[in-house]
Amino acid sequence: MKWMRFSARLIIILWAAFWIFFVLASVVGVGEQDKAGIRVRERLKGFLAAGGIIFVCAGSVYLAWRRFLAAGLTLTSIGIVATVVSLSRSPGSFPVFLIMGLPPLVSGTLFLLSAIEKKRSSRDI
């Protein structure tokens, strides 16, 4: 049971760290693109999207430590949505699925299995 939670937490930390790094690197890179004539309104959209991604990733890590049943439900739903979106785009989008959908799906499933196992073991006592 503990190995499932540990594995799920490790997967979600690596997934969130990757996306937070990617988003922050994209936001920092915007300064060099200003010379190309990107409008302020478009940059604002990018900052808002970056903030949303960072919020979702940080929230996932928080739930993974505090409420693993809620983390399981949330991450599984994020994984399902990301899978549907990434695989519906084009036939060659399997690598996108591996990056976007698979880590939260696996992590959420491990959290749910861990929660079920914990409830089952607490009933046996």
Side-chain angles (χ1 to χ4, degrees):
M1 176 170 60
K2 286 188 178 188
W3 70 268
M4 281 193 261
R5 274 187 266 155
F6 177 77
S7 300
R9 286 176 179 159
L10 181 65
I11 290 169
I12 203 61
I13 285 173
L14 293 174
W15 178 76
F18 169 77
W19 282 110
I20 289 173
F21 172 75
F22 182 80
V23 166
L24 290 178
S26 298
V27 169
V28 169
V30 168
E32 295 179 16
Q33 295 176 353
D34 289 342
K35 297 173 187 172
I38 295 176
R39 296 184 200 159
V40 174
R41 187 176 262 176
E42 295 300 318
R43 281 191 290 152
L44 182 61
K45 288 180 188 177
F47 287 132
L48 290 175
I53 292 170
I54 290 171
F55 178 76
V56 167
C57 290
S60 298
V61 171
Y62 173 78
L63 283 178
W65 250 263
R66 298 292 179 195
R67 307 194 185 281
F68 55 90
L69 179 60
L73 294 172
T74 304
L75 290 171
T76 304
S77 61
I78 288 172
I80 290 171
V81 168
T83 300
V84 168
V85 168
S86 66
L87 293 179
S88 68
R89 288 294 197 190
S90 66
S93 64
F94 186 72
V96 176
F97 159 71
L98 291 176
I99 295 171
M100 289 181 67
L102 190 63
L105 199 56
V106 170
S107 181
T109 304
L110 286 173
F111 276 126
L112 289 176
L113 291 174
S114 174
I116 291 170
E117 186 67 30
K118 184 175 181 183
K119 282 187 180 184
R120 191 177 298 164
S121 66
S122 66
R123 278 191 232 154
D124 293 341
I125 295 176

